[in-house]
């Protein structure tokens, strides 16, 4: 059926498209500027002023970072923290959300209350640090992984998503002799891939951008992730900062911007693979509370 559009509708559509175009340009403009500087020479950056296309392309900033031992170690640490941490997050969140979605689970009401309670009130930074320290996890990646193993909001939404799965499917599987584990892995999870993919992306972003937890729980510079290294670049390149290290590195503007591009690139690459599940996962999980 063909839908008729009036002149007012076309004007409204034009306004919406113009606003979206302006918003897109405003969002991408800083990224293009940073990208241009990362391929520029220091002389061009200091003398030319503002530009988005460098006159002379150079990879000196990227090559410098790729030969910098601190950057390579920080990049490896970020990959390990993100990969292992996201795996732990999504496994624990999925298992707990699946259990709390079952009405036959004893103590389900109390557990759900405790989950929601942690969304409103947290133990605080110092008590959490004391717990992590008492467990001997300081200076270990486990301090990052376990202290944020489950985000309550993600758990609540995924629990709600599991409730949307038809009960008839579960009953049919149990009649065929399927146990809870097989039911979860062969029926529930395949139907819940939009939610799983959505929260995998959420956890991946959270782990990749780890900063405050890293400086709180990690004392060894060899364990620092990429976000902390970016901050360290500013400290080591600024002799006016009192806590700068005794060995100063010379970071050119191209090297700094190249570090930003390399840090942002993995998430920019990963997002398109999760995008098709993103909206569906969040909306379906929020229908039933």
């Amino acid at each position: 059926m063909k839908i008729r559009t009036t002149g007012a509708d076309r004007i409204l559509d034009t306004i919406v498209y113009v606003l979206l175009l302006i918003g897109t340009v405003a969002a991408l403009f800083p990224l293009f500027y940073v990208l241009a500087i990362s391929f520029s020479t220091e002389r061009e950056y200091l003398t030319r002023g503002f530009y988005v296309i460098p006159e002379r392309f150079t990879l000196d900033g990227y090559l410098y970072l790729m030969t910098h031992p601190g950057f390579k170690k920080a990049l490896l640490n970020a990959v390990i923290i993100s990969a292992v941490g996201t795996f732990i997050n999504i496994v624990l969140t999925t298992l707990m959300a699946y259990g709390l979605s079952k009405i036959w689970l004893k103590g389900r009401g109390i557990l759900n209350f405790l989950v929601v309670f942690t969304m409103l009130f947290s133990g605080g930074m110092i008590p959490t640090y004391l717990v992590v320290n008492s467990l001997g996890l300081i200076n270990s990646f486990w301090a990052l992984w376990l202290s944020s193993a489950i985000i309550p909001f993600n758990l609540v939404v995924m629990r709600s998503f599991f409730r949307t799965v038809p009960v008839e499917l579960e009953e049919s599987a149990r009649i065929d002799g399927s146990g809870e584990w097989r039911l979860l892995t062969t029926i529930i999870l395949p139907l819940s891939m939009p939610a799983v993919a959505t929260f995998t992306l959420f956890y991946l972003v959270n782990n990749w951008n780890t900063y405050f937890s890293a400086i709180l729980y990690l004392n060894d510079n060899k364990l620092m992730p990429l976000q902390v290294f970016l901050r360290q670049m500013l400290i080591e390149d600024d002799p006016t900062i009192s806590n700068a290290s005794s060995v100063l590195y010379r970071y050119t503007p191209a090297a700094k911007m190249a570090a930003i591009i390399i840090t942002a690139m993995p998430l920019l690459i990963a997002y398109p693979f999760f995008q098709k599940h993103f909206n569906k996962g969040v909306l379906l999980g929020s229908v039933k509370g």
Side-chain angles (χ1 to χ4, degrees), residues 145-219:
W145 295 330
L146 297 183
S147 62
S148 59
I150 298 177
I151 296 180
F153 175 79
N154 296 348
L155 173 65
V156 170
V157 177
M158 185 170 285
R159 180 201 64 189
S160 300
F161 189 95
F162 285 146
R163 290 181 182 176
T164 64
V165 178
V167 180
E168 292 77 11
L169 289 177
E170 300 183 21
E171 294 176 348
S172 299
R174 289 193 176 93
I175 292 174
D176 293 335
S178 176
E180 289 298 329
W181 181 254
R182 185 179 178 184
L183 176 64
L184 173 64
T185 56
T186 61
I187 296 179
I188 303 299
L189 284 183
L191 294 175
S192 306
M193 283 309 298
V196 174
T198 298
F199 292 112
T200 298
L201 179 62
F202 284 172
Y203 281 125
L204 179 62
V205 172
N206 183 66
N207 287 311
W208 182 260
N209 292 329
T210 296
Y211 173 76
F212 184 74
S213 297
I215 62 176
L216 183 64
Y217 300 127
L218 303 179
N219 302 321

Side-chain angles (χ1 to χ4, degrees), residues 20-50:
L20 289 176
L21 180 61
I22 295 174
T24 301
V25 172
L28 294 179
F29 189 77
L31 180 61
F32 285 130
Y33 180 61
V34 171
L35 186 64
I37 297 177
S38 69
F39 289 111
S40 304
T41 61
E42 184 175 9
R43 179 179 178 276
E44 181 179 5
Y45 172 77
L46 296 175
T47 60
R48 188 179 174 189
F50 176 80

Side-chain angles (χ1 to χ4, degrees), residues 25 28 35 67 93 95 113-114 241 247 265 281:
V25 172
L28 294 179
L35 186 64
T67 58
T93 301
L95 293 177
F113 170 77
L114 293 177
I241 299 180
V247 180
M265 194 57 62

